Amino acid sequence: MQLLLIRHAESENNAKPVHARVCDPSITARGRLQADCLGKWMSGLAIDQLITSPFLRTLETTRFVLQHAHTAPRRYPIAVWHDVFENGGCYHGHHEKNFRGAEGLGREAIHSFFRDISDQLPDREPPPLTVDSEIQSDGWWGGRDPESPDQMRARSRSVIERFENTFPQRPSHEPRSLSTDPVVVLIAHADFLREMLSLMLAGTVAMESVGPIPNTSVTSLQWSTTGWKLDSLNSVTHLPPRLVTGHQAMLS
């Protein structure tokens, strides 16, 4: 498997001070330009599966990927996984003393989001969509308390195992040029991606020396019988310099 880890486009929270942030923001005007550049770049890839978190900012980033597919979006079958959300989950408040759980988008709202994309592309078949059964009508987070750092680390480990169990390994002796590896894309969040990478690359890459993860940056890894191998980290070659954001601070 070739796995592309992509941070969502700039969200309204990324562009605001902490006290002004909301529980589930949209992407900004600049974020839409970033996502547009990402979608154009991804249109040249033969993707087998695209996975996104249920947060609005990742879904909106995914919208541009689908809009730029040169062929019918069946090229990009979509899965919304319940367990690839950002550190803490979906919640109101800006300090642990006033945190309170929010609902997050519900199952029907997510299906409606993708139906709207299909309505905007009437000449194309709608993408096959799978939404995890854990995402119910009352919202994917359901008003729970914020997740702890230890819980996020355990969840990151379980998501890595989910990838490893869902998609096949490439034999380590097989040349990549002859490989039939699936190409899998995950559009998720900075802190969560950082945690995943710290576990995948433990002993080979010191994540504290890597720096922040820019919006729509692309990290490429290979999953083979020898484990995880990093091909490229935080690439933003699809963006003009004026659109590179999130590279000066770690923001969700």
Side-chain angles (χ1 to χ4, degrees):
M1 170 179 57
Q2 180 183 13
L3 177 61
L4 303 181
L5 301 179
I6 301 177
R7 184 186 177 190
H8 61 80
E10 182 186 64
S11 76
E12 292 174 349
N13 279 1
N14 296 153
K16 291 179 178 180
V18 171
H19 70 271
R21 296 179 185 177
V22 297
C23 64
D24 194 4
S26 299
I27 60 176
T28 63
R30 181 163 53 185
R32 291 191 289 275
L33 293 174
Q34 293 169 340
D36 190 60
C37 291
L38 175 68
K40 290 176 180 176
W41 175 77
M42 287 181 64
S43 68
L45 303 180
I47 294 170
D48 295 284
Q49 180 73 64
L50 195 155
I51 299 162
T52 176
S53 101
F55 267 118
L56 184 58
R57 54 194 182 271
T58 51
L59 297 177
E60 290 182 342
T61 303
T62 299
R63 179 196 299 272
F64 285 85
V65 175
L66 293 177
Q67 288 174 339
H68 280 289
H70 288 322
T71 58
R74 288 196 178 280
R75 185 181 182 189
Y76 295 110
I78 307 298
V80 181
W81 283 11
H82 75 286
D83 49 5
V84 293
F85 55 86
E86 181 55 306
N87 177 21
C90 191
Y91 57 89
H92 303 283
H94 316 293
H95 188 276
E96 59 183 14
K97 292 182 179 179
N98 63 7
F99 286 156
R100 58 187 176 86
E103 300 301 319
L105 292 174
R107 190 175 191 84
E108 177 53 33
I110 292 172
H111 278 281
S112 178
F113 180 90
F114 285 100
R115 282 197 298 269
D116 288 344
I117 296 176
S118 298
D119 290 344
Q120 294 169 13
L121 303 170
D123 59 327
R124 306 183 192 180
E125 292 183 67
L129 175 64
T130 303
V131 179
D132 275 354
S133 60
E134 290 84 353
I135 299 175
Q136 296 295 313
S137 59
D138 60 349
W140 65 268
W141 188 246
R144 289 174 285 167
D145 291 336
E147 174 190 57
S148 71
D150 286 345
Q151 288 172 324
M152 183 185 75
R153 188 171 184 83
R155 175 169 58 88
S156 299
R157 187 175 290 106
S158 70
V159 168
I160 294 169
E161 292 173 355
R162 184 175 182 180
F163 274 109
E164 293 173 349
N165 293 330
T166 302
F167 302 101
Q169 293 173 301
R170 177 173 55 86
S172 58
H173 63 273
E174 183 181 67
R176 189 176 302 176
S177 60
L178 300 178
S179 175
T180 57
D181 281 5
V183 177
V184 181
V185 175
L186 171 64
I187 298 179
H189 308 268
D191 289 347
F192 180 68
L193 294 178
R194 175 175 291 277
E195 188 64 40
M196 283 184 65
L197 287 168
S198 72
L199 296 171
M200 290 166 149
L201 305 175
T204 60
V205 175
M207 287 305 297
E208 61 271 15
S209 67
V210 168
I213 299 177
N215 294 107
T216 72
S217 63
V218 182
T219 292
S220 176
L221 303 104
Q222 292 285 333
W223 168 235
S224 74
T225 51
T226 59
W228 290 100
K229 179 183 177 182
L230 180 67
D231 289 334
S232 64
L233 181 67
N234 292 343
S235 173
V236 289
T237 56
H238 55 284
L239 295 177
R242 66 184 176 84
L243 290 182
V244 178
T245 61
H247 57 297
Q248 294 177 330
M250 286 187 289
L251 299 170
S252 66

